Amino acid sequence: MIKLTIGGVPEHFNLPWQLALEQRRFEALGIDLTWRDYPGGSGAMAKGLREGELDAALLLTEGAVAAVTDGVELEIVSRYTDSPLVWGIHVPADSRVRAVNDLQGARYAISRKGSGSHLIAFVHARAEGWPVNGLSLVTVGSLEGAVDAFAAGTADVFFWEKFMTKPLVDAGKFRRVGEFKAPWPAFVICAQRPMHQHQRVALERVIELVLEEARALRARADAPQLIAERYGLAAPDVAEWLETTRWSEHPAIATDDVAPACMALGSLGVLPRVVDAADCIAKRDAASP
């Protein structure tokens, strides 16, 4: 059995992995796959890759680029989703903020530096035409940390995937004042660099299987209810999410998938260094059997 340890956020995007694990489909491939949840998001998974806790992880595209510039030895081996992430822009329910335009100069809750919630705050500020130097950042660790920060009055705004935060909006803890669609594919699959050849081959087989599982999930009539029950969401919200989400058809990555994030983040000055897309992705001949 080839051992692989994979990390991902415990969210609806990653249900195909859980279903495949429950059906023991990886074992049928001769792969002993361990899944680890990372509520802290891409920044936490980049740390896991850096420290050797993980062989591979599902990072936000911007988080993967940031990790490479921060010296994490990883390479993007495939897109996981072709569709972009739709970020909800959240404020405390009792906030005086009523519109996105009121947020200039706000204190941004972020899960950690290098995370999507950190990087997308800068991308959004640039899109709004606001100064990006000196954005006020409050590190909260996770979605739960943002709930606590809002309750304590230590942060004013928080970016997170809008459907995972919908229960908090419905419960009156968050109020969503806007949305922001990232201008690149949401999630990519990253592997440690270097990786043993037999693990590379196994990972590609794993990705093929998971994307097959994603297609099967999307085709299920009960998919909205299934996902809703697993993640504490409302079935109508899940149905809306499924309409806009496209998992990738096959394992693949190209510089064009990553270049927009590299250019946008590089121009913002939020990365330790500027990086080319070609330096972030796996060379296909190196990953082939």
Side-chain angles (χ1 to χ4, degrees):
M1 298 285 280
I2 299 172
K3 293 182 179 294
L4 288 174
T5 303
I6 313 290
V9 289
E11 296 181 1
H12 46 317
F13 287 94
N14 288 328
L15 182 56
W17 292 83
Q18 303 306 319
L19 295 175
L21 277 166
E22 291 165 13
Q23 299 165 40
R24 305 181 74 168
R25 296 193 66 192
F26 301 119
E27 291 181 28
L29 296 177
I31 298 167
D32 179 7
L33 190 143
T34 299
W35 176 268
R36 290 190 181 178
D37 282 332
Y38 281 79
S42 293
M45 284 181 280
K47 182 173 181 286
L49 286 165
R50 184 197 297 273
E51 296 180 355
E53 297 174 356
L54 296 171
D55 298 307
L58 289 91
L59 274 64
L60 289 165
T61 300
E62 58 269 28
V65 170
V68 170
T69 68
D70 196 35
V72 180
E73 293 292 329
L74 68 81
E75 56 188 6
I76 302 172
V77 297
S78 180
R79 295 186 310 276
Y80 180 54
T81 58
D82 292 340
S83 51
L85 195 74
V86 181
W87 293 85
I89 307 172
H90 307 92
V91 299
D94 59 356
S95 172
R96 294 182 179 181
V97 171
R98 294 295 160 186
V100 170
N101 288 340
D102 300 330
L103 289 171
Q104 187 171 347
R107 297 168 298 173
Y108 290 81
I110 64 169
S111 56
R112 69 183 65 223
K113 288 192 175 181
S115 67
S117 55
H118 167 221
L119 301 169
I120 213 68
F122 284 82
V123 175
H124 175 261
R126 170 66 59 82
E128 291 293 325
W130 302 339
V132 296
N133 292 331
L135 287 190
S136 178
L137 307 175
V138 180
T139 302
V140 299
S142 64
L143 176 58
E144 290 75 17
V147 173
D148 294 340
F150 276 3
T154 57
D156 305 309
V157 59
F158 182 60
F159 284 75
W160 205 260
E161 198 275 333
K162 75 168 193 174
F163 290 103
M164 283 304 296
T165 52
K166 182 65 161 45
L168 293 167
V169 173
D170 293 342
K173 294 182 178 181
F174 283 10
R175 181 158 44 81
R176 190 168 66 233
V177 295
E179 298 176 6
F180 183 68
K181 187 179 291 186
W184 42 72
F187 289 100
V188 291
I189 301 173
C190 302
Q192 272 194 345
R193 182 190 298 187
M195 176 180 273
H196 293 300
Q197 182 69 7
H198 66 281
Q199 285 186 305
R200 285 182 172 276
V201 173
L203 180 59
E204 185 156 334
R205 290 173 179 166
V206 162
I207 296 169
E208 289 174 348
L209 187 153
V210 169
L211 295 180
E212 176 188 309
E213 192 68 50
R215 290 192 294 274
L217 173 62
R218 190 179 181 85
R220 289 177 60 161
D222 67 339
Q225 189 61 40
L226 173 65
I227 296 170
E229 290 173 356
R230 293 267 186 148
Y231 296 96
L233 305 173
D237 292 335
V238 175
E240 181 184 345
W241 172 74
L242 283 169
E243 287 180 3
T244 61
T245 299
R246 300 185 309 279
W247 283 282
S248 299
E249 286 292 319
H250 305 286
I253 192 68
T255 55
D256 288 348
D257 300 322
V258 183
C262 291
M263 290 186 288
L265 298 176
S267 69
L268 285 166
V270 295
L271 303 177
R273 62 184 176 89
V274 177
V275 67
D276 291 331
D279 295 327
C280 297
I281 67 173
K283 308 302 185 288
R284 299 313 299 171
D285 57 345
S288 300

